[in-house]
Amino acid sequence: MIHSLFLINSSGDIFLEKHWKSVVSRSVCDYFFEAQERATEAENVPPVIPTPHHYLLSVYRHKIFFVAVIQTEVPPLFVIEFLHRVVDTFQDYFGVCSEPVIKDNVVVVYEVLEEMLDNGFPLATESNILKELIKPPTILRTVVNTITGSTNVGDQLPTGQLSVVPWRRTGVKYTNNEAYFDVVEEIDAIMDKSGSTVTAEIQGVIDACVKLTGMPDLTLSFMNPRLLDDVSFHPCVRFKRWESERILSFIPPDGNFRLLSYHVSAQNLVAIPVYVKHSISFRDSSSLGRFEITVGPKQTMGKTIEGVTVTSQMPKGVLNMSLTPSQGTHTFDPVTKMLSWDVGKINPQKLPSLKGTLSLQAGASKPDENPTINLQFKIQQLAISGLKVNRLDMYGEKYKPFKGIKYMTKAGKFQVRT
């Protein structure tokens, strides 16, 4: 299956490589670098690149490309899902997944990769099992290992590896028993000039942090489970029960995990939480133009929109911009022609606006098209699809756990055409 893995940073340097079956030369990455040059942005590099003797499958996360090399045809999503699991494992082990952190913990990285794949095939990908096999690095453990020459490899096989619930280790004990669930929705949308929706969809996840003693059996029910039509579950979820009753029944892994991810693409179900009023005009004869945008809330169920930033790529003919924001700060880079406005919170009583003039190159013709406006924002305690958790019950254990559920909506690729 997977022959080799290359980790490439944003400047195009291979800073880590791991081979399972046979050593594949680094020169195979030249095909990847060619595709990277053709793509304008890192996110636009094709996930599957065929070469004469190999296929290169890649994911881009935390400004690092994880490139897997395979020699035979395999389902691409299988490999891509595994690469995402590698990134999540690094994040779980080291707190952050970045080039300096991976370089600092290179021994643990190689030990973890050796356990995750056996001769190129996925073996142990559950975080609980991996942490029993390879202990996560701590300052004390690093000092002891340096003095004694020992490694982070565990002394005995993980207890969960051979059980029917391999994602949960046995004998878990906590003084405070708690289960937290985060419903996080990301809205991708394109709005046209008049403010109508061209396309809109919601990518949602439910992330869990479960710290419960023993072997609890949880059930999670929703007020409106019919919203969830395109769903992907963690292996712990009993799928038959979901199909018949639309209830999530599962024995949870210990610690942090993603319970499910879902997709809402029906246009009538996607509420757009913000609107942008804009007036951008370039005059034919003059070297000046007008620029004015206002951002306001819409369908937010009374919740505050915060962390709002507006960016826009101006046409090449724009030399400079003289703008005044009613709130927040703005910058314009005359080299890249990128306008950025950090708005902050939106107060519905006093809507934030950015007004002013832009100067164009003398004698240059008026730009063919107006720029597009990109938005980023966050809304706490709101799931924009309307998804609501009804109740969470626990069976199989006597104690009463502390339970908490949090909702958040944020912008993914949110674009307004002007």
Side-chain angles (χ1 to χ4, degrees):
M1 191 174 136
I2 297 175
H3 274 249
S4 303
L5 175 69
F6 293 98
L7 268 58
I8 301 169
N9 61 19
S10 46
S11 55
D13 301 322
I14 300 170
F15 66 90
L16 188 124
E17 57 183 281
K18 172 84 179 95
H19 307 281
W20 283 275
K21 290 193 169 184
S22 54
V23 177
V24 177
S25 167
R26 279 185 173 205
S27 59
V28 76
C29 292
D30 292 347
Y31 295 99
F32 177 80
F33 295 136
E34 283 170 21
Q36 195 181 357
E37 274 175 37
R38 283 195 296 270
T40 48
E41 291 177 25
E43 286 88 355
N44 296 342
V45 176
V48 181
I49 300 166
T51 74
H53 302 292
H54 305 89
Y55 292 96
L56 305 180
L57 288 92
S58 65
V59 299
Y60 179 69
R61 284 179 64 183
H62 307 291
K63 298 184 179 173
I64 299 171
F65 287 101
F66 291 76
V67 183
V69 181
I70 56 173
Q71 282 188 333
T72 52
E73 280 208 27
V74 296
L77 281 175
F78 192 32
V79 181
I80 285 167
E81 178 58 35
F82 174 76
L83 291 176
H84 281 298
R85 191 65 70 90
V86 169
V87 183
D88 294 340
T89 304
F90 287 171
Q91 217 167 348
D92 200 20
Y93 260 75
F94 312 125
V96 288
C97 177
S98 65
E99 185 184 349
V101 169
I102 289 171
K103 283 179 174 174
D104 288 346
N105 297 283
V106 71
V107 174
V108 179
V109 166
Y110 276 113
E111 286 170 346
V112 167
L113 289 173
E114 196 63 56
E115 294 299 338
M116 289 185 84
L117 277 190
D118 181 32
N119 197 34
F121 290 89
L123 179 65
T125 57
E126 282 297 333
S127 184
N128 279 293
I129 289 173
L130 283 167
K131 281 183 177 173
E132 283 191 69
L133 286 165
I134 312 292
K135 302 277 185 285
T138 59
I139 294 169
L140 180 64
R141 199 172 280 141
T142 309
V143 171
V144 171
N145 288 355
T146 310
I147 295 166
T148 61
S150 55
T151 67
N152 288 19
V153 179
D155 299 331
Q156 55 204 67
L157 275 172
T159 48
Q161 182 89 38
L162 303 172
S163 77
V164 286
V165 280
W167 52 83
R168 188 172 179 88
R169 58 197 176 91
T170 53
V172 183
K173 282 192 174 68
Y174 287 104
T175 47
N176 295 329
N177 292 289
E178 47 198 19
Y180 298 107
F181 294 87
D182 288 355
V183 180
V184 182
E185 295 192 338
E186 203 168 87
I187 179 165
D188 298 332
I190 297 175
M191 315 297 292
D192 69 9
K193 211 168 184 172
S194 60
S196 308
T197 307
V198 177
T199 170
E201 58 182 35
I202 294 167
Q203 312 282 351
V205 296
I206 298 181
D207 286 328
C209 176
V210 176
K211 294 183 176 177
L212 298 174
T213 302
M215 198 62 85
D217 201 324
L218 303 181
T219 61
L220 187 74
S221 61
F222 300 99
M223 299 268 200
N224 40 7
R226 299 284 160 208
L227 281 173
L228 305 175
D229 54 349
D230 184 0
V231 193
S232 162
F233 296 109
H234 186 278
C236 68
V237 175
R238 298 181 179 102
F239 189 60
K240 285 255 167 65
R241 178 107 189 251
W242 169 259
E243 274 193 313
S244 58
E245 300 173 51
R246 283 288 189 261
I247 286 175
L248 292 176
S249 168
F250 57 98
I251 294 172
D254 182 40
N256 298 310
F257 65 100
R258 178 154 292 174
L259 182 63
L260 81 145
S261 49
Y262 58 92
H263 184 104
V264 180
S265 56
Q267 296 284 351
N268 56 339
L269 292 175
V270 181
I272 303 295
V274 292
Y275 69 85
V276 178
K277 279 185 184 167
H278 49 81
S279 168
I280 303 170
S281 57
F282 305 104
R283 296 195 198 101
D284 278 324
S285 52
S286 163
S287 61
L288 285 175
R290 290 281 312 151
F291 184 92
E292 184 178 335
I293 54 173
T294 306
V295 186
K298 182 173 98 174
Q299 295 175 304
T300 61
M301 331 292 184
K303 301 283 190 280
T304 308
I305 302 176
E306 51 192 49
V308 180
T309 56
V310 178
T311 55
S312 184
Q313 180 71 52
M314 289 292 142
K316 288 193 174 70
V318 176
L319 287 178
N320 215 332
M321 302 183 79
S322 172
L323 303 170
T324 310
S326 65
Q327 79 172 62
T329 56
H330 81 286
T331 55
F332 175 69
D333 188 334
V335 180
T336 59
K337 314 292 183 195
M338 181 62 80
L339 170 69
S340 180
W341 177 27
D342 189 351
V343 182
K345 270 188 191 173
I346 293 181
N347 178 3
Q349 272 73 46
K350 189 172 177 249
L351 297 179
S353 63
L354 183 67
K355 301 176 187 175
T357 57
L358 35 94
S359 49
L360 304 164
Q361 280 175 350
S365 59
K366 155 177 152 172
D368 298 334
E369 53 189 40
N370 276 359
T372 53
I373 296 166
N374 295 301
L375 263 92
Q376 287 294 322
F377 55 82
K378 274 194 299 204
I379 308 169
Q380 301 287 356
Q381 293 308 323
L382 172 70
I384 201 74
S385 67
L387 184 72
K388 273 212 162 56
V389 173
N390 182 23
R391 57 182 298 163
L392 174 69
D393 297 308
M394 187 183 80
Y395 305 96
E397 296 290 340
K398 298 280 194 295
Y399 56 84
K400 271 197 167 176
F402 181 79
K403 301 175 275 194
I405 290 163
K406 196 170 80 181
Y407 299 91
M408 188 172 84
T409 297
K410 57 183 182 179
K413 290 189 173 173
F414 197 97
Q415 196 176 78
V416 180
R417 294 171 178 168
T418 64

